[in-house]
Amino acid sequence: MNMKSTKFIAPLITIIITVAFFSSCFQQGEKNGNGNDSTAIAQNDSAALPKLKGDDNINRATRFYAGISKDGITMSEKDAQDWDKYSNEIKRLLGISNKTRSMVDSLARSDFKDFRDKVDMVFYPFSGADFPYPITIFPNADTYILCGLEKPGSPISTDIKTNYAHYWSYRKALYSFFLISYFITKDMRHDLNNDELDGVCPVITMLMATAGYDIISIENKSINENGELINGDGNGNVMQYKFFKQGSNHEQTLIYVSANVANDKFDENVKKFFNKALANHTVATYLKAASYLLHWKGFDNMRDIVLNNSQYIVGDDSGMPYKYLIDNFDVTLYGVYKRPLNVFSSATIQHDLDRAYHKQADNVKPLPFRIGYNNPSNWQCSRRKSNNANKNN
């Protein structure tokens, strides 16, 4: 080897040694003191977070009223026999409801996989006490905001009533929901406003139990003039639930707002709350059996809130009219579009939606379950177009 070659080789060796040194330092930086990968440690730290714990007294009561367990409950032999009958009836009805929800879940897994886990907030106007369907479609959201005319009710009493009339009132309130997937508004006026059930809270908590969720806390809230949640005095129009799926460590929040959202009744504080709460989130709005209210000019304030704040809208023809979706959303059609039930005005017939179902017949996707008013049912899944990004995101 001549001297000229040596001049090139020596610096090359130095470079190789330097690279090796810094590579080693980098690898050490990725290890902890015991030589473990720092990524694995981060995962372990997450897994090692304190496990969420539900309120034992609340969850004992919800499981009792859900017909799941009467363990630890002192009751007469007659009341125990009545509860067993009630439990069997709830399980029968749940079996019907769960078949539908299982099909909903399967469709959401396959067809909504591009956005299902991106959604961190679900908005559900005209919800009544329907907890199961939004959380079936979007199980991993952090927050669910429900809204209905029905009173929030009182937090479930841990002083469990073991008399037949009380727990059978749950069956009466939930009968149509279990069978046909939605609450009938006129029935809720009586079923959720009586001596046994004073609003949606008892039913929501009972449904949480049947779906395998534990409740951490239930708090009455109000909305101030800035559109912010504040502690209620027991008479607030908002109920906030903290809960988690049994076996998980993901704390979730459900906020139920009792409000009339017709333009002339829409409280300004509530309106501010919706706009503020939905801003800067990936929002999916869910609409089901919504009485075609968003079709009317008298509800255009709520319609604007949905359209301005939602990246995704999933619902049937009774929710958001097709004409408000086609410009800013890509709409996927499911099922069969039929004229609305006769109890609704003929003005709710959507001729443009009917034409879309016929024109796109080869691309309309099947809907293998009843959801909402009509049977067979329809669904529209709307994804905001990329060139019409949510103004709040």
Side-chain angles (χ1 to χ4, degrees):
M1 181 179 300
N2 59 33
M3 291 297 293
K4 189 174 181 179
S5 299
T6 303
K7 289 180 181 179
F8 285 103
I9 292 173
L12 181 60
I13 292 173
T14 301
I15 292 170
I16 292 171
I17 292 171
T18 302
V19 171
F21 171 78
F22 281 107
S23 176
S24 174
C25 289
F26 177 77
Q27 290 176 6
Q28 288 297 322
E30 290 295 292
K31 307 284 184 178
N32 70 358
N34 297 320
N36 294 321
D37 189 297
S38 62
T39 303
I41 291 298
Q43 292 173 345
N44 289 338
D45 287 344
S46 176
L49 288 172
K51 292 293 184 184
L52 294 173
K53 188 176 189 311
D55 184 300
D56 289 338
N57 292 324
I58 290 176
N59 290 302
R60 182 182 300 111
T62 59
R63 287 192 288 269
F64 177 80
Y65 295 128
I68 295 171
S69 172
K70 64 178 187 289
D71 291 347
I73 310 297
T74 301
M75 52 198 312
S76 69
E77 183 178 350
K78 174 68 167 60
D79 283 340
Q81 291 173 349
D82 286 338
W83 184 90
D84 288 339
K85 293 177 184 177
Y86 166 77
S87 175
N88 289 334
E89 174 66 358
I90 293 296
K91 289 173 183 174
R92 180 186 75 83
L93 293 172
L94 266 175
I96 297 169
S97 179
N98 287 344
K99 285 181 181 178
T100 301
R101 286 180 51 220
S102 177
M103 289 186 282
V104 170
D105 177 55
S106 294
L107 187 149
R109 286 176 184 272
S110 63
D111 287 29
F112 303 165
K113 59 186 176 183
D114 59 315
F115 67 90
R116 193 186 197 200
D117 289 334
K118 294 179 184 178
V119 170
D120 67 326
M121 183 171 285
V122 177
F123 186 41
Y124 187 2
F126 320 114
S127 64
D130 181 7
F131 165 81
Y133 279 93
I135 206 160
T136 295
I137 301 169
F138 303 105
N140 299 318
D142 296 321
T143 307
Y144 303 79
I145 300 178
L146 277 58
C147 175
L149 283 173
E150 296 72 34
K151 295 187 300 183
S154 304
I156 190 166
S157 174
T158 56
D159 181 17
I160 295 171
K161 297 181 181 179
T162 60
N163 59 301
Y164 173 93
H166 188 76
Y167 45 76
W168 272 92
S169 63
Y170 285 82
R171 187 265 188 196
K172 185 174 186 295
L174 286 160
Y175 186 74
S176 65
F177 176 77
F178 283 148
L179 291 183
I180 56 176
S181 83
Y182 64 90
F183 291 94
I184 299 173
T185 302
K186 66 180 181 62
D187 290 345
M188 283 194 290
R189 295 185 190 127
H190 306 288
D191 295 342
L192 299 178
N193 188 24
N194 54 61
D195 291 339
E196 306 299 340
L197 300 178
D198 67 346
V200 301
C201 185
V203 175
I204 287 176
T205 52
M206 182 264 207
L207 289 171
M208 285 182 171
T210 64
Y213 289 85
D214 277 355
I215 298 168
I216 300 170
S217 64
I218 307 172
E219 295 180 322
N220 183 254
K221 299 283 186 180
S222 295
I223 300 172
N224 66 17
E225 64 276 8
N226 296 318
E228 300 165 338
L229 283 185
I230 58 174
N231 290 332
D233 58 2
N235 296 310
N237 64 324
V238 179
M239 199 68 78
Q240 177 179 276
Y241 308 74
K242 298 287 187 180
F243 64 99
F244 64 97
K245 182 76 171 177
Q246 293 167 6
S248 83
N249 209 33
H250 179 199
E251 181 176 308
Q252 297 169 286
T253 301
L254 185 149
I255 299 169
Y256 175 83
V257 181
S258 174
N260 187 331
V261 297
N263 290 353
D264 59 343
K265 303 288 186 181
F266 208 156
D267 184 89
E268 284 298 321
N269 293 358
V270 174
K271 196 185 304 182
K272 287 179 184 177
F273 169 71
F274 287 148
N275 279 313
K276 183 173 287 190
L278 297 172
N280 303 313
H281 288 278
T282 303
V283 176
T285 293
Y286 180 54
L287 295 161
K288 171 167 62 69
S291 299
Y292 300 91
L293 296 177
L294 296 182
H295 292 230
W296 301 101
K297 185 177 181 180
F299 286 84
D300 55 12
N301 286 339
M302 175 54 82
R303 188 169 62 237
D304 288 345
I305 289 172
V306 172
L307 290 172
N308 291 339
N309 291 285
S310 304
Q311 285 80 29
Y312 310 96
I313 301 175
V314 177
D316 60 29
D317 67 296
S318 72
M320 185 60 67
Y322 183 68
K323 64 183 178 182
Y324 295 110
L325 294 169
I326 52 177
D327 288 340
N328 297 323
F329 292 83
D330 291 317
V331 184
T332 304
L333 305 176
Y334 291 82
V336 177
Y337 177 67
K338 299 170 62 176
R339 65 169 292 142
L341 300 178
N342 289 333
V343 295
F344 297 106
S345 166
S346 60
T348 57
I349 297 173
Q350 298 183 66
H351 298 291
D352 52 356
L353 182 59
D354 184 51
R355 287 192 296 270
Y357 267 87
H358 284 90
K359 186 176 179 180
Q360 302 175 37
D362 292 340
N363 295 318
V364 173
K365 296 193 173 187
L367 194 68
F369 46 82
R370 177 179 183 172
I371 192 89
Y373 296 130
N374 277 325
N375 188 19
S377 302
N378 66 80
W379 244 14
Q380 295 84 51
C381 175
S382 304
R383 297 165 170 85
R384 186 175 291 276
K385 295 177 182 178
S386 57
N387 61 338
N388 285 289
N390 185 321
K391 69 177 185 180
N392 291 318
N393 285 270

